[in-house]
């Protein structure tokens, strides 16, 4: 201050013109600084207002109009869940934004404002109960209710002086105004950023003024020294001190300073440090030599620095501020804020100017890193194989953030889930998993662990999907849960494949009911007191082997499949029915006593009979032997219970076997007559003729009985031959003949599958062997062929020749006899032919 007074005193000795010029320039600089500082203040306040309006808009999106409409705005709201959720939302606003002191919701009734809820704890001195009238309300407080616009204003009430932000809240469906969300900022918090910004601007302005005064001071001091030679010694000392002060300020300034006076530029060390050049180097180069090329030439705009230089050339420089990049000699880049302003000094040039350079590289780098992090997170979230989330710890799982994968996963856009705008995530979870998921989170939070859970959701289209959620709780300093974060991915395809594998592991591939493996697992599970009395039904299909051999395995499989359907139809929800063998079934019946088990077994029998009554061919009828037993006590063995059920079943099988076997054989014989042209009369004639030969040969009674069976069933194997081959009117092809000859072996297998026919199986097999060994299927000759086979082959050939067929007319008895005689010793046994022709055909038969 003493030096300033000395300067002004010295300056007063100069001409009035110089003093006027100095004062005018100083006033001009002061005005510029004041305007700049004022502008910074207003811009900061304006920025703050925009920010709080944006915050208010974001905050009100977190409240549901449905919740507000459920409030009565009196003390009865204290017990309502909606009031607690609204109040919790207001508390979170205050917790999320440090500058907000109060958050509240107004409603208007009869032109009066009432508090719906506020952010204060119930025990707080500032707490306002619901329904309390805000008597200090001004016209500004009521303004949003009338014009529907957000307003920012300063007010004073019994709580103090505030800057208030009021934003209207509208119903999402009707658009009606239902309340106003208010947020109060203390004056200290409100003006904090503006004060900081203004102080910084004022410091820069003061630096400029100080530099300007220092420059003027130096210049004027030189003039004073020249004019006051008598005081040269004192003036030189003073000048030296002032120059030292200026140099000290100039060199130690935290910003780079460049002064260009009369075309000569002076740089402080900080300026050179920022751009990476010495002060001497800076004097030899032009600004374009050290400026980043992209800041020199733009496609659309002319660089501000070039404009400023052009203004200097014309002697009309204007204050310019810009952000630019410098290239250091090593190729590195420095970001800087450059402020260039003209210098108007007495005796100076109109081209003089001052530059202030501030290094902002670190700030630019930090901003760049922040943008890169935001971009990386954006790319990461957009490419996640599911939905990343952050949500509240509440029963709705209220989402605070949801990634873009939400749409693909749930069918809902992310915005629909945020703050439960259209739907809550809990609504999407399949109802049967909601309680399970809540309990799992409770356990995870208690253990401070991580969640890994699979469950089902229902998408917007109604599709059920399986998802895998992995997440964890975020805890505050007080140990409370502030949020939940995690990732949810679609595992529907994996679950579907697992279910398919599980199904194949547990189910029989033919019938679709459970298999032995699953039954063994359920035996272990049910063999405990919780399931007693535990009954077991054992079943075995009768005659499957006979049907397989006679009609083919496809027909046998059909019997098994139809039986399984009936068994499954007769089982209850908790019963376990399984196929435990080729034609065997086992049923576990928990909580079932002997009486109920007997009723279940009889029901299966009745269903089988009902099925059989609908059939046209008895060969395909179902006949199953069943047995049951019951385990009632823990000390009884389940394996022993199953053994008792099997014994019961086998006793039933012995009683039912003969009748069921007879029915199946009769059905097979009927099928044979239906498929071939050989009628029942043909079989009866063969039986008569064969028995006549047997009598002439004096066969035993056993041989006669077997001969009758062979004659009746000689072509039973034809049931396994394709109808198109059997009924073909013309000559068979080689391939068709191969198929036709298989009927001997098929007949043999049918006979072997029946205990009553085993004795004649070989006779049926060798019916088409020839005396000369050229027959089939084994090509044996002479007396190697069983006697009964040789007898039936002769009478079969004779009867076939004397009957009409689709591919030829019948021969006369004389022609047939002659044909038989010609083949004696070739195809037929000569002795059998002689007996047949000489002793049998002379006997009349009907």
């Amino acid at each position: 201050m003493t030096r300033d007074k000395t300067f002004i005193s010295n300056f007063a000795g100069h001409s009035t013109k110089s003093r006027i010029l100095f004062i005018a320039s100083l006033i001009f600089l002061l005005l510029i600084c004041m305007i700049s500082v004022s502008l910074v203040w207003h811009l900061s306040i304006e920025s703050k207002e925009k920010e709080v309006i944006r915050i208010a808009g974001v905050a009100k999106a977190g409240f549901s109009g449905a919740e507000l409409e459920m409030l009565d705005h009196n003390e009865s709201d204290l017990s309502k869940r909606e009031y607690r959720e609204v109040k919790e939302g207001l508390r979170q606003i205050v917790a999320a934004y440090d500058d907000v002191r109060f958050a509240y919701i107004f409603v208007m009734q009869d032109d009066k404002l009432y508090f719906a809820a506020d952010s204060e704890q119930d025990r707080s001195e500032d707490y306002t109960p619901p329904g309390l009238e805000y008597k200090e309300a001004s016209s500004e407080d009521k303004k949003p209710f009338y014009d529907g616009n957000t307003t920012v204003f300063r007010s004073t009430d019994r709580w103090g002086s505030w800057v208030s932000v009021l934003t209207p809240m509208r119903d999402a469906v009707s658009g009606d105004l239902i309340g106003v969300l208010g947020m109060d900022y203390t004056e200290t918090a409100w003006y904090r950023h503006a004060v900081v910004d203004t102080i910084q601007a004022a410091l820069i302005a003061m630096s400029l003024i100080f530099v300007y005064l220092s420059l003027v001071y130096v210049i004027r001091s030189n003039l004073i020294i020249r004019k006051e030679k008598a005081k040269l010694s004192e003036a030189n000392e003073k000048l030296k001190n002032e120059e030292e002060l200026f140099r000290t300020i100039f060199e130690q300034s935290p910003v780079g300073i460049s002064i260009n006076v009369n075309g000569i530029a002076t740089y402080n060390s900080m300026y050179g440090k920022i751009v990476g050049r010495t002060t001497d180097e800076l004097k030899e180069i032009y600004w374009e030599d050290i400026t980043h090329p992209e800041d020199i030439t733009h496609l659309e705009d002319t660089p501000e620095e070039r404009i400023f230089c052009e203004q200097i050339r014309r002697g009309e420089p204007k204050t310019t501020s810009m952000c630019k990049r410098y290239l250091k000699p090593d190729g590195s880049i420095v970001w800087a804020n450059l402020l260039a302003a003209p210098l108007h000094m007495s005796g100076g040039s109109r081209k003089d100017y001052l530059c202030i350079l501030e290094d902002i590289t670190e700030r630019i780098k930090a901003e760049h890193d922040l943008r890169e992090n935001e971009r990386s997170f954006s790319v990461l979230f957009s490419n996640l194989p599911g939905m990343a989330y952050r949500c509240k710890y509440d029963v709705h799982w209220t989402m605070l953030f949801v990634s873009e994968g939400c749409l693909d996963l749930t069918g809902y856009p992310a915005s629909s889930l945020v703050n439960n705008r259209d739907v809550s995530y809990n609504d999407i979870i399949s109802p049967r998993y909601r309680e399970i998921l809540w309990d799992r989170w409770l356990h995870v939070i208690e253990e401070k662990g991580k969640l890994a859970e699979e469950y089902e959701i229902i998408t917007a289209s109604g599709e059920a999907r399986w998802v895998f959620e992995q997440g964890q709780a975020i805890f505050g300093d007080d140990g409370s849960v502030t949020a939940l974060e995690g990732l949810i991915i679609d595992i529907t395809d994996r679950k579907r494949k697992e279910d398919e594998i599980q199904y194949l592991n547990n189910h029989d591939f033919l019938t679709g009911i459970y298999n032995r493996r699953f039954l063994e697992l359920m035996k272990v599970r049910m063999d405990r007191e919780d399931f007693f009395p535990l009954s077991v039904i054992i079943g075995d299909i009768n005659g499957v082997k006979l049907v397989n051999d006679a009609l083919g395995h496809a027909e046998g499989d059909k019997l098994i499949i139809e039986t399984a359907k009936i068994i499954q139809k007769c089982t209850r929800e908790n019963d376990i029915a399984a196929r435990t063998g080729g034609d065997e079934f086992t049923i576990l019946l928990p909580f079932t006593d002997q009486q109920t088990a007997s009723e279940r077994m009889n029901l299966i029998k009745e269903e089988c009979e009902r099925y059989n009554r609908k059939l046209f061919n008895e060969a395909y009828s179902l006949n199953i032997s069943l047995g049951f037993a019951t385990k009632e006590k823990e000390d009884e063995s389940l394996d022993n219970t199953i053994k008792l059920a099997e014994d019961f079943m086998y006793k039933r099988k012995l009683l039912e076997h003969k009748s069921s076997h007879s029915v199946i054989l009769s059905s097979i014989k009927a099928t044979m007559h239906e498929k071939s042209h050989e009628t029942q009369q043909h079989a009866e004639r063969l039986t008569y003729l064969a028995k006549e030969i047997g009598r002439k040969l004096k066969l035993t009674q056993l041989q006669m009985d077997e001969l009758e069976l062979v004659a009746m069933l000689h072509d039973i194997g034809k049931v396994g031959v394709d109808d198109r081959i059997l009924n073909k009117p013309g000559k068979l092809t080689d391939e068709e003949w191969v198929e036709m000859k298989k009927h001997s072996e098929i007949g043999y297998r049918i006979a072997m599958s029946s205990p009553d026919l085993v004795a004649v199986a070989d006779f049926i097999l060798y019916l088409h062997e020839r005396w000369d060994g050229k027959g089939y299927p084994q090509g044996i000759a002479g007396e190697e062929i069983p006697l009964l086979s040789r007898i039936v082959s002769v009478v079969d050939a004779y009867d076939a020749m004397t009957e009409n067929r689709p591919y030829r007319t019948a021969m006369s008895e004389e022609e047939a006899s002659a044909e038989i005689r010609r083949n004696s010793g070739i195809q037929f046994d000569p002795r059998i032919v002689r007996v047949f022709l000489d002793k049998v055909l002379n006997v009349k038969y009907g």
Side-chain angles (χ1 to χ4, degrees), residues 6-132:
T6 302
F7 170 75
I8 295 172
S9 176
N10 291 334
F11 182 72
H14 295 288
S15 65
T16 302
K17 182 178 179 181
S18 298
R19 288 197 299 274
I20 293 173
L21 180 61
F22 166 74
I23 293 171
S25 61
L26 181 59
I27 292 173
F28 175 76
L29 183 59
L30 287 172
L31 286 174
I32 291 177
C33 291
M34 291 173 64
I35 292 171
S36 299
V37 171
S38 176
L39 181 62
V40 169
W41 170 268
H42 289 292
L43 289 177
S44 182
I45 294 297
E46 181 179 351
S47 174
K48 182 67 176 180
E49 289 184 356
K50 290 180 180 179
E51 179 186 5
V52 299
I53 291 173
R54 180 186 62 80
I55 291 173
V58 173
K60 75 176 180 180
F63 295 93
S64 170
E67 290 178 339
L68 291 175
E69 290 179 349
M70 293 297 294
L71 301 181
D72 296 323
H73 311 307
N74 54 47
E75 291 187 355
S76 66
D77 289 342
L78 295 174
S79 61
K80 294 182 180 180
R81 176 184 59 81
E82 290 81 3
Y83 174 79
R84 292 194 298 272
E85 290 187 358
V86 169
K87 192 168 185 70
E88 178 59 26
L90 294 171
R91 288 174 181 169
Q92 290 186 6
I93 292 173
V94 175
Y97 304 105
D98 295 334
D99 291 344
V100 178
R101 176 59 186 91
F102 293 108
Y104 47 86
I105 294 177
F106 279 149
V107 294
M108 176 178 278
Q109 296 178 1
D110 300 326
D111 199 40
K112 296 180 180 180
L113 298 186
Y114 297 88
F115 286 94
D118 72 351
S119 60
E120 293 302 295
Q121 298 288 346
D122 297 348
R123 59 182 177 274
S124 171
E125 294 180 357
D126 298 324
Y127 164 71
T128 303
L132 180 68

Side-chain angles (χ1 to χ4, degrees), residues 301-479:
D301 302 322
T302 302
E304 293 175 298
E305 199 164 2
R306 189 183 298 279
I307 295 175
F308 182 74
C309 291
E310 184 63 25
Q311 292 172 345
I312 292 173
R313 186 183 65 79
R314 296 196 303 267
E316 302 172 353
K318 296 180 181 179
T319 301
T320 301
S321 177
M322 70 194 79
C323 179
K324 61 174 294 183
R325 289 170 289 178
Y326 288 99
L327 285 176
K328 287 187 174 182
D330 60 2
S332 60
I333 298 174
V334 177
W335 282 89
N337 267 335
L338 175 65
L339 176 64
L343 287 178
H344 301 293
M345 298 181 296
S346 176
S349 168
R350 295 181 62 191
K351 298 180 181 181
D352 298 342
Y353 63 90
L354 167 72
C355 287
I356 297 178
L357 195 66
E358 179 187 6
D359 188 347
I360 59 170
T361 304
E362 290 301 320
R363 191 185 80 190
I364 294 295
K365 183 177 182 299
E367 293 174 354
H368 176 268
D369 291 344
L370 179 60
R371 288 194 298 271
E372 281 299 304
N373 287 337
E374 291 176 349
R375 186 190 64 80
S376 298
F377 280 122
S378 175
V379 172
L380 174 62
F381 285 138
S382 64
N383 288 279
L384 283 174
M387 180 182 84
Y389 71 88
R390 180 183 177 92
C391 73
K392 297 179 181 178
Y393 177 40
D394 60 20
V395 294
H396 301 294
W397 309 116
T398 302
M399 292 296 171
L400 302 174
F401 165 78
V402 180
S403 68
E404 295 178 3
C406 175
L407 181 61
D408 291 337
L409 182 67
T410 69
Y412 294 97
S415 58
S416 294
L417 269 71
V418 173
N419 291 315
N420 305 328
R421 191 192 73 180
D422 300 321
V423 63
S424 73
Y425 186 70
N426 191 62
D427 296 333
I428 298 175
I429 300 172
S430 179
R432 58 178 174 161
Y433 290 101
R434 291 173 185 171
E435 193 69 28
I436 296 173
L437 185 61
W438 179 260
D439 291 341
R440 285 287 297 118
W441 266 113
L442 285 177
H443 176 73
V444 167
I445 291 171
E446 182 180 351
E447 298 294 327
K448 286 186 167 48
K450 293 185 178 180
L451 177 81
E453 189 70 17
E454 296 178 358
Y455 55 90
E456 196 175 51
I457 65 172
I458 307 300
T459 67
S461 64
E463 176 190 0
R465 286 187 183 177
W466 276 93
V467 298
F468 173 73
E469 179 177 355
Q470 186 170 14
Q472 63 182 10
I474 307 302
F475 297 93
D477 294 337
D478 59 355

